[in-house]
Amino acid sequence: MKKYLFGILCLLLLDVAAAEDGTSIALERIGAASQAAEGLLSRLQKLQAGGLDCSYPKVSITVVRHLAPFLRQDVLQGQMTWVERSLTEMNALLEKAEAELKALEERRRRPADIPRYVTSDVSIRGRSFIADTKTFSGDREHNPVFFTGYGHFIQVRKDIEVFPALGINVIQIEFGPNSVLPSENEVSNVPVEEFLKVADRAAASHVAIDLLLSPHYFPQWAKNKYPELNQCSGGFLQFCIDAPAAREILETSLRHVISQVGHHPALLSVCLSNEPVSIESRNCSYTQHKWHQWLELRHNTLQTLNQRHQQEYASFDEVPIPAPGLQVTPLYYDWCIFNMERLAGWHCWMADIIHDIAPDLPVHAKIMVFFALNNRGLMHYGVDPQLFAELGQINGNDSYKFYGPTEVYANHWLQQNIDYDFQSSVGGKPIFNSENHLIADRDFRDIPPAHIRNVLWQQAIHGQGATTLWVWERTSDPHHDFAGSILHRPACIDAVGRTNLDLFQYRDAVTAIKDKPPEVYILHSYASLLYDEHFAPMLNKLYEALSFTGTRIGFITERQLAAEALSPGKLLFAPQTSHLTEAAYGGLRTFQEKGGKIASVAAGERPLFRFNEYGQEQPEELALERLIDGTLGDPEFLTQVIDVMEALNPPGPIQVVSGASGEVLKGVEYLYEKQPDGHSYWLNVVSYRNTPEVVHILFNGRQVGFKDLLEETEGELLKLEPLVPHLLVVLAPNSRL
């Protein structure tokens, strides 16, 4: 027995010794990587002293230098899986930086002279932010800029000075009214003073700030004093936005904060709220009163309301607020539209207070676009991207694009592309995704840097002007929301910085493609979304197919149709549009009478454009140009969409086709725009497919060569690795690059 116990003790001691030995080895490897980074930094500084821009290798070196202390903590906490993965990535980054520096030292590589954002007044022009930039050589210009960075808590405040070396230039931080009004008779300036200290450092470092005002951090003392504030709820907003007491408290906080921070040179914008929704208001007298006023204004007479709702109410005050959850009824439809206007109106009220103090300060809200756009079960959440686009200078959102792969695609690209193109269509303003989810919480898989680069680059192509990534924090708790975050991933951080540098280096091309007006439109209808279960799936399917045709896609809403905002020369695709508001139906008839073309996608023998928003028949039928069978699978559906495009909307000069079959490839998105010289084109190509593909570039049907700006290559065959974007210069046949 003693021998047995002695053997167990020996094994335990061996395990401890092995663990200690593993810890020592890991710390030695971290030390070696840090030492190598310092050596490369010394070489880089000599090159910079000689006038060479070394921004790209500087990103990689800075990643290693900055993450090494975190990695030592991981070793001590036993997080050896992250340590091993991070060391592998860090050593690869050092090898890449060393190769780049050597090429610069030997003059084999032409140094970039990248324009970088410097603290200055920022304006908005179309879908772009405009500000001062400065190159390493000292040239200063006022041009489009891209803001890329991180959020949202403590670590971003600590790391401001290191961010420019990481290639980024914006952060989002927050504080709310509970810290400004900690008690009923107290106004605290502490959060403002803390913010101003951070902002001063940011301005000196040429890092912009988006301040999230966080009204969901509402003072608890107020909720205790005014019980009526607790009658509404929804997501983060756990108080009644209609109650006078709530508005008085919020206005006091807003005026106190904005009067001190609103003109700070580091402040890019303010975000009005975090993921706003309004779900439950049935017991709130303030909301009920607004609801009944809205109904009377909308329907004019009780007889009209009863006829539309198929009810026999004795007064408007009898109309109930429906319970949360999908209900395919006119009552639920009216409530959803009212709730959308109500939530956007509350944000507009906050924006007006801010602009009363700081008229030029851009505002936005961090809306979840997908809550309403193509999700009929969440229409009652109150999020209408068009109304939110109209209240501010920026299209704000909280969006995601996670790594796949799926059966066909390498990441989940579809929903975010739809969201971005929709916001661009209804706002014509830069998109600010201030909580950019590229990596799912608690995702411990290897995330390839190509995915990070794909998301950021394609977001810019689809209208993004600014973004702060979730999240610049890390943790050893596997159950925490920060687990698996980008701050655990050296190669992904490197991809963020290098992609932002590329956006600045090729900003003219990206801006031209981003600002290209839509060539075809997809009709969006809340009426059809509610009443026809096939509308949302058909919208997704149609958008997916159109994405591979080289065509800039736009959306047209019922409100826009009613205002006759769609040019008659355009082609409009209508996905399973069984219901349409009467006002939009009138605008659609005018569009068609003036020469506009409508192609519908239908799932079987279902009525199209037959009913209004209350399920009543429209006065007369609408003639359709073409009808596409929505029940077809791939590739037949894609072929039908292309046939309609060629018949009703003649294609542009450039096509990207399979090198093997000569056909359009599902999963390959390409967009292009003519350069100012009038002869050459910028062409952005990316494959979302999870396998490599070889493609040809056709110009009016003839194969042509290209110059790849990002890869610094030329050729006639383009190999597309999954998710890797390519920015090409294409000339007409017989022209020379």
Side-chain angles (χ1 to χ4, degrees):
M1 184 66 177
K2 291 181 179 179
K3 290 183 179 180
Y4 176 77
L5 293 175
F6 179 75
I8 293 294
L9 179 61
C10 289
L11 289 174
L12 290 173
L13 291 173
L14 286 172
D15 287 342
V16 171
E20 291 178 348
D21 187 52
T23 297
S24 299
I25 292 172
L27 291 173
E28 288 176 5
R29 292 174 64 195
I30 295 169
S34 297
Q35 187 175 0
E38 295 303 323
L40 291 177
L41 180 63
S42 178
R43 290 168 60 184
L44 181 146
Q45 289 170 339
K46 290 179 182 179
L47 288 168
Q48 288 189 151
L52 298 183
D53 185 348
C54 301
S55 295
Y56 287 99
K58 190 174 187 178
V59 171
S60 301
I61 294 168
T62 305
V63 170
V64 175
R65 296 180 74 236
H66 193 63
L67 290 193
F70 291 117
L71 222 57
R72 291 189 181 96
Q73 294 176 13
D74 288 343
V75 171
L76 299 178
Q77 293 171 350
Q79 303 292 312
M80 299 308 292
T81 300
W82 282 118
V83 171
E84 185 62 35
R85 184 186 299 176
S86 296
L87 278 169
T88 299
E89 293 183 2
M90 288 163 64
N91 287 326
L93 294 182
L94 292 173
E95 290 179 7
K96 178 168 60 175
E98 199 280 334
E100 291 171 333
L101 292 176
K102 186 175 181 181
L104 288 170
E105 290 165 341
E106 297 174 353
R107 299 299 190 266
R108 291 184 289 104
R109 183 185 182 92
R110 183 170 62 86
D113 196 17
I114 303 169
R116 305 285 295 274
Y117 165 74
V118 292
T119 300
S120 57
D121 290 337
V122 181
S123 59
I124 293 173
R125 186 173 67 212
R127 296 184 178 92
S128 297
F129 292 102
I130 310 296
D132 286 358
T133 60
K134 187 178 180 180
T135 63
F136 187 80
S137 61
D139 293 336
R140 190 163 181 140
E141 296 180 334
H142 194 67
N143 276 316
V145 297
F146 295 89
F147 290 103
T148 302
Y150 297 100
H152 299 81
F153 305 108
I154 298 173
Q155 196 65 43
V156 287
R157 294 175 180 240
K158 293 180 178 179
D159 291 343
I160 284 173
E161 285 78 10
V162 78
F163 284 147
L166 287 172
I168 69 163
N169 53 15
V170 67
I171 63 172
Q172 184 186 74
I173 54 179
E174 65 173 347
F175 62 89
N178 64 342
S179 60
V180 178
L181 306 172
S183 63
E184 182 175 0
N185 299 311
E186 180 184 2
V187 178
S188 172
N189 209 41
V190 171
V192 173
E193 292 169 356
E194 291 177 348
F195 172 83
L196 290 173
K197 290 178 183 177
V198 175
D200 288 344
R201 292 167 50 213
S205 301
H206 307 296
V207 174
I209 297 178
D210 178 70
L211 174 60
L212 174 57
L213 296 172
S214 296
H216 61 284
Y217 296 148
F218 196 80
Q220 185 59 45
W221 62 261
K223 297 179 72 174
N224 294 338
K225 180 178 180 179
Y226 304 104
E228 67 269 22
L229 299 185
N230 302 297
Q231 297 300 317
C232 299
S233 64
F236 286 93
L237 296 176
Q238 296 294 317
F239 64 92
C240 177
I241 63 175
D242 298 319
R247 294 203 173 200
E248 181 181 351
I249 290 165
L250 287 174
E251 182 169 357
T252 299
S253 178
L254 286 172
R255 290 191 179 277
H256 180 79
V257 171
I258 300 301
S259 64
Q260 297 182 73
V261 310
H263 297 92
H264 196 284
L267 187 60
L268 170 65
S269 55
V270 294
C271 186
L272 299 170
S273 66
N274 183 70
E275 302 175 13
V277 296
S278 180
I279 300 173
E280 174 60 271
S281 303
R282 284 176 293 171
N283 297 322
C284 177
S285 61
Y286 298 109
T287 306
Q288 289 171 357
H289 179 66
K290 284 193 171 187
W291 162 238
H292 295 141
Q293 283 185 319
W294 184 89
L295 286 170
E296 186 169 4
L297 183 64
R298 183 176 183 86
H299 298 285
N300 194 30
T301 69
L302 189 62
Q303 181 182 3
T304 301
L305 181 144
N306 281 330
Q307 190 259 338
R308 288 171 172 172
H309 283 205
Q310 300 180 35
Q311 295 292 332
E312 296 181 355
Y313 299 117
S315 71
F316 285 103
D317 291 344
E318 285 189 9
V319 183
I321 294 175
L326 176 64
Q327 301 163 45
V328 187
T329 65
L331 172 66
Y332 177 82
Y333 173 84
D334 265 354
W335 168 254
C336 290
I337 301 303
F338 162 78
N339 202 31
M340 291 173 184
E341 294 178 5
R342 166 179 171 255
L343 188 60
W346 178 67
H347 284 81
C348 192
W349 167 78
M350 288 192 289
D352 287 344
I353 293 172
I354 291 168
H355 289 147
D356 182 51
I357 303 166
D360 298 324
L361 180 59
V363 304
H364 59 105
K366 195 186 290 188
I367 64 170
M368 313 282 273
V369 180
F370 49 87
F371 273 173
L373 185 61
N374 49 2
N375 191 329
R376 69 197 295 247
L378 300 181
M379 276 182 62
H380 62 282
Y381 274 28
V383 180
D384 181 1
Q386 181 175 357
L387 294 176
F388 274 91
E390 293 170 355
L391 67 88
Q393 295 71 44
I394 298 171
N395 268 317
N397 71 40
D398 174 331
S399 186
Y400 67 91
K401 186 187 286 186
F402 296 143
Y403 178 60
T406 66
E407 183 179 349
V408 178
Y409 300 125
N411 70 7
H412 300 274
W413 62 274
L414 182 65
Q415 183 65 59
Q416 187 174 90
N417 283 22
I418 291 175
D419 294 348
Y420 273 46
D421 283 350
F422 188 91
Q423 283 193 294
S424 292
S425 299
V426 298
K429 303 169 183 178
I431 291 171
F432 194 155
N433 182 347
S434 58
E435 193 171 316
N436 199 347
H437 292 268
L438 294 75
I439 302 168
D441 296 345
R442 296 170 295 281
D443 188 341
F444 303 108
R445 298 174 298 167
D446 283 328
I447 303 295
H451 165 71
I452 305 298
R453 180 169 175 76
N454 171 273
V455 176
L456 292 174
W457 186 267
Q458 290 302 111
Q459 285 174 333
I461 291 294
H462 284 268
Q464 182 168 277
T467 185
T468 47
L469 278 61
W470 175 269
V471 55
W472 193 250
E473 298 283 346
R474 67 201 318 274
T475 180
S476 59
D477 179 359
H479 305 292
H480 198 284
D481 287 352
F482 299 161
S485 73
I486 196 165
L487 194 47
H488 293 86
R489 304 173 183 272
C492 291
I493 298 172
D494 183 71
V496 172
R498 286 174 176 263
T499 302
N500 196 41
L501 293 177
D502 282 341
L503 289 172
F504 272 86
Q505 187 170 3
Y506 301 109
R507 61 186 176 183
D508 290 343
V510 175
T511 300
I513 296 171
K514 170 171 65 75
D515 289 346
K516 185 177 184 179
E519 297 161 289
V520 298
Y521 288 83
I522 297 175
L523 174 57
H524 183 269
S525 163
Y526 282 126
S528 286
L529 177 62
L530 172 61
Y531 292 108
D532 197 318
E533 63 183 355
H534 295 281
F535 174 81
M538 211 55 60
L539 182 148
N540 292 348
K541 186 174 183 177
L542 175 62
Y543 181 91
E544 181 181 20
L546 287 171
S547 295
F548 313 137
T549 64
T551 304
R552 172 62 78 184
I553 306 168
F555 286 85
I556 196 76
T557 68
E558 290 170 302
R559 294 177 189 269
Q560 289 173 316
L561 272 181
E564 299 185 5
L566 182 59
S567 170
K570 298 296 183 179
L571 170 60
L572 177 64
F573 283 92
Q576 192 55 56
T577 312
S578 56
H579 294 66
L580 199 64
T581 66
E582 289 184 4
Y585 188 80
L588 194 61
R589 290 199 63 83
T590 301
F591 166 75
Q592 192 174 48
E593 289 167 359
K594 292 182 177 180
K597 299 171 183 177
I598 305 170
S600 287
V601 183
E605 297 293 327
R606 302 182 64 83
L608 299 176
F609 302 107
R610 181 74 59 81
F611 307 105
N612 68 10
E613 63 266 47
Y614 299 108
Q616 300 166 324
E617 288 200 12
Q618 301 283 14
E620 51 187 315
E621 284 194 27
L622 193 72
L624 303 177
E625 294 282 344
R626 294 287 292 269
L627 186 64
I628 301 172
D629 185 355
T631 65
L632 293 174
D634 294 325
E636 292 83 4
F637 182 78
L638 177 58
T639 300
Q640 276 209 7
V641 170
I642 292 173
D643 288 345
V644 169
M645 292 274 292
E646 291 178 349
L648 302 181
N649 190 73
I654 294 178
Q655 272 192 307
V656 177
V657 298
S658 166
S661 68
E663 302 293 329
V664 171
L665 265 174
K666 178 182 179 181
V668 174
E669 178 195 308
Y670 63 100
L671 292 167
Y672 57 90
E673 181 61 306
K674 187 177 290 187
Q675 293 194 33
D677 63 17
H679 303 291
S680 54
Y681 286 78
W682 285 305
L683 169 63
N684 188 78
V685 185
V686 66
S687 173
Y688 297 117
R689 296 169 67 89
N690 53 30
T691 55
E693 301 290 344
V694 174
V695 296
H696 292 156
I697 313 300
L698 303 183
F699 195 108
N700 289 331
R702 294 178 58 185
Q703 184 176 334
V704 293
F706 56 84
K707 180 179 181 180
D708 192 329
L709 299 177
L710 295 175
E711 300 297 321
E712 299 182 354
T713 59
E714 298 181 10
E716 294 187 351
L717 290 177
L718 178 62
K719 184 176 182 180
L720 300 177
E721 296 293 342
L723 303 179
V724 177
H726 297 263
L727 183 62
L728 312 180
V729 175
V730 176
L731 300 180
N734 302 321
S735 299
R736 298 180 63 182
L737 289 168

